Amino acid sequence: MGLRAALSCLLLGGFLRLSAGLNLCMSGSATSCEECLLTHPRCAWCAQEDFGNRRSLTSRCDFSENLQSRGCASHFIQYPKSSISVLENVPLSSKGSGSAQYDVVQISPQKISLSLRPGDQTQFSLQVRQVEDYPVDLYYLMDLSLSMKDDLDTILNLGTKLAEEMGKLTSNFRLGFGSFVDKNMSPFSHTAPKYQENPCNGFKLFPTCVPPFGFRHILSLTDKVDRFNEEVQKQMVSRNRDAPEGGFDAILQAAVCQEKIGWRKGAYHLLVFATDDVPHLALDGRLGGLVQPHDGQCHLNEQNEYSASTKMDYPSLGLLGEKLAENNIFLIFAVTKQFYVIYKNFTALIPGTSVEILDQDSKNVLQLIITAYNNIRSKVELTVWDHPDDINLSFTSTCQDGKPTSGLRKCTDLKIGDTVSFDVSVEARSCPRRGADQSFTIKPVGFKDRLEVSVSYLCDCDCSQTAQKNSSICNSIGTYNCGTCHCEPGYLGARCECQEGDASSQHLNFCREAEGKQVCSGRGECSCNQCACYESEFGKIYGSFCECDDFSCARHKGVLCSGHGECHCGECKCHVGYIGDNCYCSTETSPCTSDDGKMCSGRGSCVCGRCQCTEPGAFGDTCEKCPTCPDACGTKRECIECRLFNSGRFADNHTCQRVCKDKIIIVETLEADEPGAVLCLYKTDTDCVMKFTYSEHVSGLSVLTALKEPECGGKPEAVMVLSAVVGSILLVGVVLLIAWKLIITVHDRREFSRFQSARSRARYQMASNPLYKQPVSTHFLETDMFGRSYNGGVH
């Protein structure tokens, strides 16, 4: 009977496997409730004692509906599900000033708790709002090397002007000031004795300047903007030895010395970094013997100077980004044009940073700051802090257009006061050690507000709490737990009824997947009606017949499931955010989003996190470059309008500087025959014609060459136009009539002349016709001089 029951159970399992395709639950090697829960998030475990039969160790692990249909009572089914609990959810604020200034809420909810079952995806939503009239702290960090002397003269009254402009955007504005040069040591600065007090000694253009310094905090953040002007007027430039500056030292100190600088918790923190050269990076300090890495701490002495300038190396980009994010600081690189690309690359590595082009004498710094602030307030981008390694996160944003965009965690082109939402999918890949719960934080870049997420794991079964050691059900040589026996070493079987090596208990037919197949698929031994799978150096072999393993899945560059999935019985189970046979294809679409917010600039599709351009002639990371596309001239026209004339669609929502990054050359006369250039023209609102060319250089730089002014012509009056048209018609008619008359006259004269000529050449007239003779003839005689007579003729 036991043999017949075991055989029936095997047939039933095979039937379920065939009828429902690959049953991940039953094809696994789960011999306990906890292992079953980890097999797949849809798997459930039946803890009922009399469920199935003694042979079926893994048959207790199945889909919940299958277990019920096979006779397992619902209260014995262990099937935990992921859940979400909102712990704190204060409504979003509408304004950042007034009595509620220090209780402003820009993200909701603020705290949630997740109970996650490994492999099971759950989702929650959050909202973010750019609150109106939010306080702003702006710290102006200036390069005071010798090449910035003209810039120093330009910003003497910057404080007053900046306060006036920022007053239009916020009623609570504070301003601070600091400066930097470089480390006062060789080889970064002049260290000879004659340069100690005056490094400009012997320099004819500027014979006097102050010794170099790493960073000097001059004015803490204050609403008294006149103090800013006063302090700037006191400053003098210095002179260092090499071209790069020590600006990154200064940025780090300005970020971490919160009390000295005066950063407020409830304010936007803007750090404007103005320079005309490249910065020193980590490891450059070794040139001067500085081998100690930067510790990321504040080192301002009583004179508010950076005291560790000659003791530690320059900070790395990673450390800089970490400290800026910790202190909610937006860094604005204000740099000259020739270094724009270098600092633009830095922004990709340091979250929350932007770069603007600074004029050689900083005359545009005011507009630059306002533009950068508007750009910052026009977008929301989420970051994740303390992201646990075993948790996958996937974001879907819903911005002002109301359309959900998968894989994107930011919204752009926002107006102050707009609210955007994000859906976050969470999946735990595995179980940590018992009791090791996790947590992480979701935070908009530059915001003090954050969402704190605590995570607990559903890895244990409730029935395990009532486990019985040395249970009689297990022949007193095993522990009865959740309906199964866990035998002592040396014993096997569903009820610990067999001993290892007992040949009488080997029924090989129970260890074959089908008739004619190898025993235990050739990868295990049959013992006590069950397959004991071999160990493998490549991974785990498992399954009722050792038919599965976790190392025979598709790979990418030698990495199993591309490192973005788990191999389960020959099939890759991809983590959240990845798809494909080998899980190499990413569903993240943010790298495919162009600066104008379109996916692949509307000229291609996002495949595996990269743009595949479908429009002929389109290229670039986001298909943004396409001189030959039909809409190329129209797209670049908007940039010409906003950059040159401050008009058009981009001029209204402050996206011109962000979207239009092409180099624009203004000329008096346009050369339309430039190789590879496309001539574009359009009609302006004043009925003039604007012409420009669009070309892509080998370096990847887009260049627009435009006329200085549109070409305009005089407006002809309607009567003049009508008269000209009618006159032209009449003139053509008269000319045709005269031509016709001349042709007829010439033809008639030619024919008459021909007639006259024929008439004059006629040889036969009536008087000389030989056939005609007069009826009367007259003859007469004439006598010559000798008296002889002759016939004189007929008359």
Side-chain angles (χ1 to χ4, degrees), residues 729-764:
I729 295 174
L730 292 177
L731 180 60
V732 171
V734 171
V735 170
L736 292 176
L737 185 61
I738 293 174
W740 177 80
K741 182 63 178 176
L742 287 174
I743 292 172
I744 295 300
T745 301
V746 171
H747 180 269
D748 288 350
R749 287 185 178 180
R750 184 179 297 167
E751 291 297 322
F752 182 74
S753 176
R754 190 179 298 164
F755 170 76
Q756 288 288 84
S757 176
R759 184 177 181 184
S760 63
R761 290 197 306 268
R763 299 175 59 186
Y764 302 106

Side-chain angles (χ1 to χ4, degrees), residues 715-736:
K715 258 188 176 180
E717 296 183 0
V719 176
M720 292 179 63
V721 174
L722 181 62
S723 300
V725 173
V726 173
S728 299
I729 295 174
L730 292 177
L731 180 60
V732 171
V734 171
V735 170
L736 292 176

Side-chain angles (χ1 to χ4, degrees), residues 401-430:
D401 58 3
K403 298 178 181 178
T405 304
S406 178
L408 197 64
R409 59 173 71 180
K410 69 177 180 180
C411 289
T412 58
D413 296 338
L414 303 177
K415 297 179 181 178
I416 296 177
D418 285 347
T419 303
V420 294
S421 62
F422 298 88
D423 293 326
V424 185
S425 295
V426 188
E427 177 189 348
R429 296 198 302 269
S430 60

